[in-house]
Amino acid sequence: MAREEKVSPKRTPMLEQYWQFREKVPPNTLLLFRCGDFYEMFEDDAVRGSELLGITLTKRGGAPLAGIPYHAIDTYLSKALKVGIKIAICEQTETPRPGHLVNRALVRIITPGTTFEEAQLDSKSNNYILALNEDASGLSAAWADATTGEFFISTAKDKSQLLSLLTGLRPTEILIPEAWREGSVPAHLSPLLSWSMVTRLEDWKFGVLTGEEKVIRTLATNSLAGFGIASKHPALGPAGALIYYLSDMLCEQPKCLKKITEVRNGEVLFIDPASVRNLEIFRSAANTRSGSLLDAIDYTRTAEGARMLERWLAMPLRDLEQIRFRQNCVEEFFKMPSATGRIRDELAYVRDLPRILGRMKSVSKLPRDLAAIRESLRHVPQIKNELSHFSPSPLDRLLTNIDEHAELLHLLESALIDELAGTDKTVIREGYDEQLDEYRNAKSRINQWLNEYEQRLIRETGIGNLRLCFTSTFGWSIEVSKANKDKVPDYFDRRQTLVGAERYSTNELKAKEEENLHSEERYNQRSREIYDGIVEKIIAAADSLANTASALAQVDIFAGWAVLAETWNYCKPQLDDSGVLEIGQGRHPVVEQVLAGTGRLGQFVPNDTSLQADKVQIALITGPNMAGKSTYIRQVALIALLAQIGCYVPAQKARIGVADRIFCRVGASDELSRGNSTFMVEMNETANILNNATEKSLVILDEIGRGTSTYDGLSIAWSVVEYIHGNAEAGPRTLFATHYHELTRVASKLPRIKNYCVLVKEWNQEIVFVRQVIPGSIGRSYGIHVARLAGLPQKVIDRATEILAQLETQSTKINIEDENPVPAHEKPEEKNIDFVAEAPEAVLPPPPKKDNGQLFFNF
């Protein structure tokens, strides 16, 4: 029996129009087709959309249909983007007319990296879209925030450096060449790609020459020399691909991009992705902004200030002049707290100007955005006035970039009504334009006539519930209930039958409706002309407004940091090009605030740090768990990072030689989905540090080797310390925390290592964590004491104590300096024990060998 072929229902003209647009939309995209007050999806899109968005699936003419109200689109956009689906918007471009197919146009394709909607954006974070390519010149990248117009490129031979920067940007969408098919993506890019929506584009779009031409045309310039970018720069390939993509998604050439900036190697302090995570710079261990360094130092009052702060934290400076400029600006605000407070009060009223301008250039020109610009400009004069009181000062550079835009503010004040919540047809203030006022009065007269006409018909017909009503399809009608149908006069012409009523018209009503239509059209047209003229003046001033917003954002950050410094007793660090790292009474910027939030203000124990690349290069820190080792070594890294973004630091004093990179290997984690155990992750991160650290770097290492056996772990930790120390005259400043107390012996053999420990006091078989870091080493782990604090049953604690005593009695002790290890009972008692085997039958490591005066294990 022949298989019965499924016959699809015949498509209507509207459905044919739908499919014409659907064929233009890329894969993995839902097309929302505007039909009156709804966005509708048909056939396969309807089925898929109903499942993903949780909406009802119905049928029309036998074809699947699903729709959402136009006013609820933001909610459903958020749902779609969260599950990795792009949304294409097809809008009606004319007023519907009976019997005519409405003209429509594809106006946008919304993706995570190209959305402008406030509901899908975090006002405190940039929404970057990133394009990547890799060739013989290295890794090249271009990234932009379409909502603000920021546009950057960078190329690096050292791929790890650029990846460090890109990780801090946290892009929401990444563009890569089609050649990078599944399984062929460079392995070092996999972690970055796993965090974002990935879109593959044709390889030719990543061509350097094609990209350069595309960028030049988009920026409306003859060359890129004015931006300091050389012709045939490798990153222009990804930049071109990014612009091609934005053009396709916005359905027009992107108007938001006005300049391009190159991030050059040597300008930025790099922090690799693992260190960003370990230091909890942007997100805490719970993957929230709260509890992160960013959250702890964010005292901004404006959205652009918060985003700029996040950018600064992602791209710390190495240029001393720029760092000192920021510090000096903070100092000015710090010295004048009253003026600073008044400025911050005014900044609270400044709206998100960069994103407002981005929306107005690209997708929408809503009255509420004009209201936000007006409200912002109202407060700029007072901010400028307060800033002028600081002059002469470093703040003068910012002051000159703040434009009051007095003429634009006057236009917005005089032309627009106070409450801008309506459509653009109703926001022009009465008395601003004589012609518009005349059209408004004509409309008012017609509305009055309609009210009077309704009352006259009620009197003439005796139908008490007769009413005039308006629909977009039939215009004005006279509605009469079915119960009063018999009272309808002969001159009423029936227009529409409803379930409980009939609708009619009259010659007189039709004539007045025609008059009203013309009046309405004239009013709407004039309103639109005035409104568009205002928008054009705003867009003409967009660059100046953007410069003002940028200067205000910097003022916001510096003033906020002054309050931060005053509130938490931060100091202005001294920065130079030396290899010094000296911190007096330093504190962890996040933990200190957390303790205060739990009612323990002032209970954080500060500590000193003294390192120098060519003297005391490595601080080897011992101490039990919970003593505070990890907090201490992380706080040193965070203080150095804060100093290099120009912020004051949580310490009494600090002198910090600028670092080129910060590495931080702490904590225990695994990557089971990628086949990596905790120990493998630890070794991968350690290898990255050893292969990339320079004598200008700052290295933080915590418990290296604890993920494997004692012998292997100690061997690796010892060798890592030796490698970092090296044979040169200087090396990376390093804080190395360990449980391997035997490792402290290396300090007597290598000149640039010094032992430190976290002080612990014993009292009645209990331990007290003093949290103070002092010179010297500690000979016990206090593991059982910590286990008791953790709440292990007393029976377990007692048994562990017995076993420990037996192991200590039976243990074999080895002096790491001797060529032929001798059991402890055959050697004189020593104060410092270098190696303690865990059991008498354990296999001991081979004796060490010497090479150029350094000790190395054979393993």
Side-chain angles (χ1 to χ4, degrees), residues 445-513:
R445 288 193 295 270
I446 292 172
N447 288 333
Q448 182 178 353
W449 182 90
L450 289 170
N451 290 331
E452 292 173 353
Y453 185 61
E454 182 182 74
Q455 294 303 313
R456 175 154 57 90
L457 289 178
I458 291 173
R459 291 194 303 271
E460 291 177 355
T461 63
I463 303 173
N465 61 359
L466 178 149
R467 70 183 186 93
L468 295 183
C469 61
F470 180 84
T471 64
S472 58
T473 303
F474 294 98
W476 284 100
S477 301
I478 305 165
E479 185 174 294
V480 178
S481 65
K482 287 282 181 77
N484 292 307
K485 182 179 177 181
D486 294 340
K487 297 181 181 179
V488 171
D490 294 338
Y491 64 89
F492 277 28
D493 296 326
R494 189 162 61 83
R495 277 190 165 184
Q496 187 181 14
T497 299
L498 305 177
V499 174
E502 297 285 347
R503 285 178 177 170
Y504 305 86
S505 185
T506 66
N507 292 334
E508 190 176 8
L509 181 59
K510 289 176 185 178
K512 190 58 70 173
E513 184 178 5

Side-chain angles (χ1 to χ4, degrees), residues 51 66 83 103 255 387 506 641 650 716 756 783:
E51 294 173 353
V83 296
N103 287 327
K255 301 172 184 175
L387 286 173
T506 66
L641 172 58
I716 292 170
Y756 291 87

Side-chain angles (χ1 to χ4, degrees), residues 269-272 275 279 579-581 583 609 611 617 633-641 644 656-665 689 693-701 731-735:
L269 161 68
F270 291 109
I271 308 176
D272 65 277
S275 299
L279 289 172
V580 170
L581 179 61
I583 301 170
T609 303
L611 295 175
Q617 173 207 342
I633 61 178
R634 290 190 214 201
Q635 84 185 28
V636 173
L638 294 179
I639 287 172
L641 172 58
Q644 287 193 226
I656 299 171
V658 170
D660 62 352
R661 300 184 70 158
I662 292 178
F663 296 96
C664 182
R665 164 58 229 168
I689 295 171
T694 72
E695 69 175 56
K696 298 289 289 182
S697 301
L698 174 60
V699 176
I700 306 298
L701 292 168
R733 293 158 289 180
T734 303
L735 293 160

Side-chain angles (χ1 to χ4, degrees), residues 176-179 199-207 241 244 248:
I176 61 175
E178 276 189 337
T199 299
R200 288 174 168 81
L201 303 179
E202 297 93 325
D203 295 345
W204 66 266
K205 290 182 178 178
F206 290 84
Y244 273 112
D248 289 343

Side-chain angles (χ1 to χ4, degrees), residues 18 21 25-26 29-35 38-41 68 70 73-74 76-77 80 86-93 104-111 117 120 248-251 363:
Y18 167 85
F21 288 111
V25 172
T29 305
L30 291 177
L31 176 61
L32 298 186
F33 195 71
R34 184 68 178 265
C35 296
F38 284 82
Y39 287 105
E40 296 188 349
M41 293 169 281
I68 58 176
Y70 79 95
I73 187 171
D74 282 348
Y76 293 100
L77 281 178
K86 302 174 183 180
I87 297 291
I89 306 293
C90 186
E91 289 284 4
Q92 297 174 170
T93 58
R104 292 178 172 87
L106 191 64
V107 296
R108 284 179 64 203
I109 300 176
I110 301 173
T111 73
E117 280 65 31
Q120 282 88 55
D248 289 343
M249 299 303 102
L250 297 176
C251 299
V363 297

